[in-house]
Amino acid sequence: MEFFNPHLYDLANPELWVAVGLIAFFVIVVLAGVPKLVGGVLDAKAAKIQSELDEAARLRAEAEALLAQIRTEKAEAEAQAAEMLAAAEADARVMEAEAKVKLEETLARRQELAERRIAQAEVQATAEVKAAAADLAARAAEQILAARLAGQKTDPQLDDAIAQIGSRLN
């Protein structure tokens, strides 16, 4: 152990003077209040760091609240989009059903119109056939009567009857 070495306490020993200088330096530092000054600086630094940590915690809480709000809005938007999609699909089904009904009505009207035109054409064709048959019958009757009467005198009543046959058959 060197503390009990008698050579250590000799005034000519430079190690003694280094130790005395070091002790004097520490005494002066303590008397000058350096530890309090260093403590104050460290306390100020700690307070600044603590305020920054508090600010960071506050900002994190705000960010989490904003994130929760955004998630809520996103869920609401998705729900609204799903509702709009369901409504659009329902509207499309209604429009499809209405279009189908309108198409069936249009087809029924067109079929009815075609049937009426066919009926009218049949009536017209029947009338034309009857008229042609009446004309043919009138001409045939006229020829037959003309052949029978060729040797006889003309009869005015018979001529009038023949002339009316064509108009009565129409």
Side-chain angles (χ1 to χ4, degrees):
M1 297 200 149
E2 296 237 356
F3 292 116
F4 298 113
N5 187 351
H7 178 18
L8 181 68
Y9 296 108
D10 183 15
L11 290 177
N13 186 2
E15 294 174 354
L16 174 68
W17 290 110
V18 169
V20 169
L22 185 62
I23 291 172
F25 174 74
F26 283 128
V27 169
I28 290 171
V29 167
V30 169
L31 290 177
V34 171
K36 288 182 184 177
L37 183 64
V38 170
V41 169
L42 289 176
D43 287 344
K45 192 75 134 172
K48 182 179 177 186
I49 290 172
Q50 185 62 44
S51 70
E52 288 176 357
L53 287 173
D54 292 343
E55 179 69 15
R58 184 185 64 78
L59 289 175
R60 180 179 177 162
E62 287 179 7
E64 287 175 352
L66 185 60
L67 179 62
Q69 179 183 359
I70 289 172
R71 285 181 179 163
T72 302
E73 289 174 357
K74 179 185 173 194
E76 290 173 358
E78 287 174 350
Q80 186 177 11
E83 289 175 8
M84 290 172 70
L85 181 62
E89 288 174 351
D91 288 346
R93 284 191 294 272
V94 167
M95 289 177 152
E96 180 183 11
E98 289 175 355
K100 196 174 192 180
V101 168
K102 286 181 182 178
L103 178 63
E104 289 174 358
E105 289 175 355
T106 302
L107 290 176
R109 280 195 307 266
R110 287 184 180 176
Q111 183 177 359
E112 182 182 331
L113 181 62
E115 288 173 356
R116 272 191 267 146
R117 286 183 181 169
I118 290 170
Q120 286 175 351
E122 287 176 354
V123 168
Q124 185 178 0
T126 304
E128 289 175 2
V129 167
K130 284 182 181 179
D135 286 342
L136 187 60
R139 276 190 247 130
E142 187 177 333
Q143 287 175 358
I144 291 172
L145 289 175
R148 281 189 187 171
L149 296 176
Q152 298 178 359
K153 281 171 114 183
T154 60
D155 184 10
Q157 287 181 341
L158 186 60
D159 290 339
D160 288 339
I162 291 173
Q164 290 177 2
I165 288 177
S167 63
R168 287 188 181 175
L169 289 177
N170 285 335

